[in-house]
Amino acid sequence: MHSALAEAEAAAQEGEVPVGAVIVHQGRIIGRGRNARERLGDPTAHAEMVAITAAASAIGDWRLEDCTLYVTLEPCPMCMGACLNARVPRVVYGAREPKAGACGSILDLRAPPGFNHRVAVAGGVLAEPCAEILVRFFRARRGA
């Protein structure tokens, strides 16, 4: 999660909402991502999506079956859908997302009916620093 937090810090430095993600395979980071929606003008450029694309490229397969996604903020429905489609077996997140969280906060897409894949989820890992970076970012943006 510390590596995901470093990605979130880099996103903040770029003026992006500070969310970071890494994907680990066999103890090694194979994909890194941070929010890039503003920089790329792409609504799908969430940290998780960037990390999933990088990881798939690194291993040469769209199936990320032996991987864990670490992300600083609870994934949204789009990102959980990508995890399901990429066969990511485990997601570990830091802070809860009370407005769009899809790991139980608003929706629960860990094991949707009819899907042949389920995602094990652990939340609250380094929750305080993961939330604090977001609080600082939005406080500064509002000028408060």
Side-chain angles (χ1 to χ4, degrees):
M1 188 62 78
H2 291 288
S3 294
L5 271 165
E7 292 295 327
E9 290 285 357
Q13 294 299 316
E14 295 170 352
E16 298 281 352
V17 173
V19 177
V22 296
I23 295 184
V24 175
H25 179 257
Q26 298 178 350
R28 185 173 63 89
I29 294 174
I30 60 166
R32 295 177 180 274
R34 59 182 172 262
N35 274 357
R37 294 188 319 169
E38 299 299 328
R39 182 170 50 87
L40 298 177
D42 180 354
T44 68
H46 288 197
E48 302 94 322
M49 301 295 280
V50 174
I52 287 169
T53 299
S57 179
I59 65 171
D61 193 348
W62 62 268
R63 293 171 194 87
L64 301 178
E65 294 173 326
D66 297 319
C67 297
T68 299
L69 167 68
Y70 294 87
V71 61
T72 58
L73 184 65
E74 180 182 1
C76 73
M78 174 182 67
C79 294
M80 278 303 286
C83 288
L84 286 163
N85 283 310
R87 311 293 194 266
V88 173
R90 186 166 182 245
V91 170
V92 177
Y93 71 85
R96 286 185 66 242
E97 170 47 287
K99 294 181 181 177
C103 296
S105 289
I106 297 298
L107 295 172
D108 190 350
L109 295 180
R110 294 175 290 186
F115 275 69
N116 64 349
H117 180 68
R118 300 177 190 299
V119 180
V121 173
V125 176
L126 295 179
E128 193 170 307
C130 290
E132 180 56 34
I133 189 173
L134 288 159
V135 169
R136 274 194 328 251
F137 177 83
F138 286 111
R139 195 174 285 149
R141 184 172 263 186
R142 287 188 306 266

